[in-house]
Amino acid sequence: QPGRTCYHLVFYIGHGAGRNDPGVYKVYDPDGNLILTWSYQIVRVWEVPADELIDTGRPFVMVLVGLSKITDPLRQLPAVLEIINTVEDPVTRERLKTVFYACIESEEIIDVLKELIKEKDEYDLDTAGIRWILKEHDERVVQKLRAEYAEEIAQLKQQAEQTRAQLEQQAEQRQRETLCTNIITVLQSRFAADDTTYAIIRRLLATETDPERLQALFNAGVTIGSLADFQNMVVSPQANGSV
């Protein structure tokens, strides 16, 4: 909406994901001219220091720590568990811990978890889900976990697809708006007419949903002989030559 600022964030989770993403998206017209560009902030979770996530103090953010850069597991893992333990609901609390551990692949960190349970289980780690992960930390268990959380993964993929579709729609809408503005600018530079005439043309252009036709109308606006001919062309594509 006019007058409102829109912020875009893109999260990359898997190790190495988004390594080459510059955080800028560009759209070019058929002639190779840049007509639309926007920037977005990139968050590569696998590059984020674990302490940055821990410092948020949010229990539901803690599940991402297992995917982040853990440099001091003996200090950082207990900090994560203390935050998760602030969740009052025991089912939610255990689920968060299970998901957190399911995301960890480092054998070194798994060993730290085993020691935490063996020495003093003050963080309630000795649950069925976590015992299973620590005992069977191999590909077979990973596959079972993926199957268990298949619904959640499918929902996340669906949400990602919806977000992508929305971004594409927004990009197409901005492209159309930019083309409409450019067409009016070109016409105004060539033909003198009152504001009402140009308001009518702008409304007609706003009904066009095909960026290629708008680009063709822009090209026609550069060379067409009169404003009336251009109006006829917008109303009827066959008038004065198909667009």
Side-chain angles (χ1 to χ4, degrees):
Q1 297 179 359
R4 300 187 66 179
T5 302
C6 183
Y7 295 94
H8 296 282
L9 292 173
V10 176
F11 286 84
Y12 289 104
I13 294 178
H15 184 78
R19 188 187 302 275
N20 298 320
D21 190 338
V24 178
Y25 188 82
K26 297 180 180 180
V27 178
Y28 297 87
D29 66 18
D31 295 327
N33 300 311
L34 180 64
I35 58 174
L36 177 67
T37 182
W38 77 83
S39 301
Y40 48 89
Q41 183 177 350
I42 294 175
V43 179
R44 301 181 183 90
V45 177
W46 52 276
E47 286 184 338
V48 176
D51 284 334
E52 289 188 14
L53 299 177
I54 294 171
D55 289 342
T56 67
R58 298 174 180 267
F60 288 88
V61 175
M62 295 304 102
V63 297
L64 296 175
V65 173
L67 300 167
S68 66
K69 187 180 294 184
I70 299 176
T71 56
D72 187 0
L74 286 173
R75 174 182 59 82
Q76 293 167 327
L77 293 182
V80 169
L81 296 170
E82 288 176 2
I83 294 171
I84 291 179
N85 278 344
T86 63
V87 176
E88 296 181 359
D89 180 55
V91 175
T92 301
R93 187 169 60 244
E94 181 174 340
R95 189 175 183 84
L96 288 175
K97 291 178 183 178
T98 302
V99 175
F100 165 62
Y101 286 115
C103 293
I104 297 175
E105 297 180 349
S106 169
E107 292 298 330
E108 176 187 356
I109 296 176
I110 292 295
D111 289 339
V112 173
L113 296 176
K114 291 179 180 179
E115 290 301 317
L116 287 175
I117 294 176
K118 184 187 302 183
E119 294 178 1
K120 185 179 180 182
D121 189 21
E122 61 183 290
Y123 303 109
D124 295 325
L125 300 177
D126 193 15
T127 65
I130 294 175
R131 283 199 304 270
W132 182 46
I133 295 172
L134 296 178
K135 182 180 179 181
E136 304 290 340
H137 191 68
D138 55 24
E139 185 60 27
R140 181 175 59 84
V141 173
V142 171
Q143 291 176 353
K144 286 185 177 181
L145 283 173
R146 288 174 178 170
E148 180 181 350
Y149 293 101
E151 183 177 352
E152 288 88 341
I153 293 173
Q155 290 176 350
L156 289 173
K157 289 182 177 179
Q158 182 180 8
Q159 292 173 0
E161 180 61 26
Q162 291 174 348
T163 300
R164 184 192 64 78
Q166 290 173 356
L167 288 174
E168 288 181 352
Q169 291 176 357
Q170 292 173 3
E172 291 175 359
Q173 178 63 26
R174 289 171 182 159
Q175 181 183 7
R176 291 194 297 269
E177 291 173 355
T178 299
L179 284 169
C180 289
T181 300
N182 291 343
I183 290 170
I184 294 298
T185 300
V186 167
L187 293 175
Q188 288 177 331
S189 69
R190 299 190 62 219
F191 306 111
D194 54 40
D195 293 340
T196 301
T197 299
Y198 279 111
I200 293 173
I201 295 175
R202 187 180 293 275
R203 284 196 297 270
L204 290 172
L205 293 173
T207 64
E208 291 290 346
T209 59
D210 184 1
E212 291 185 3
R213 173 159 162 74
L214 285 171
Q215 181 63 48
L217 287 170
F218 173 82
N219 295 338
V222 176
T223 59
I224 202 163
S226 69
L227 194 58
D229 288 341
F230 182 86
Q231 288 179 275
N232 291 335
M233 184 176 294
V234 175
V235 174
S236 175
Q238 301 304 322
N240 296 294
S242 176
V243 177

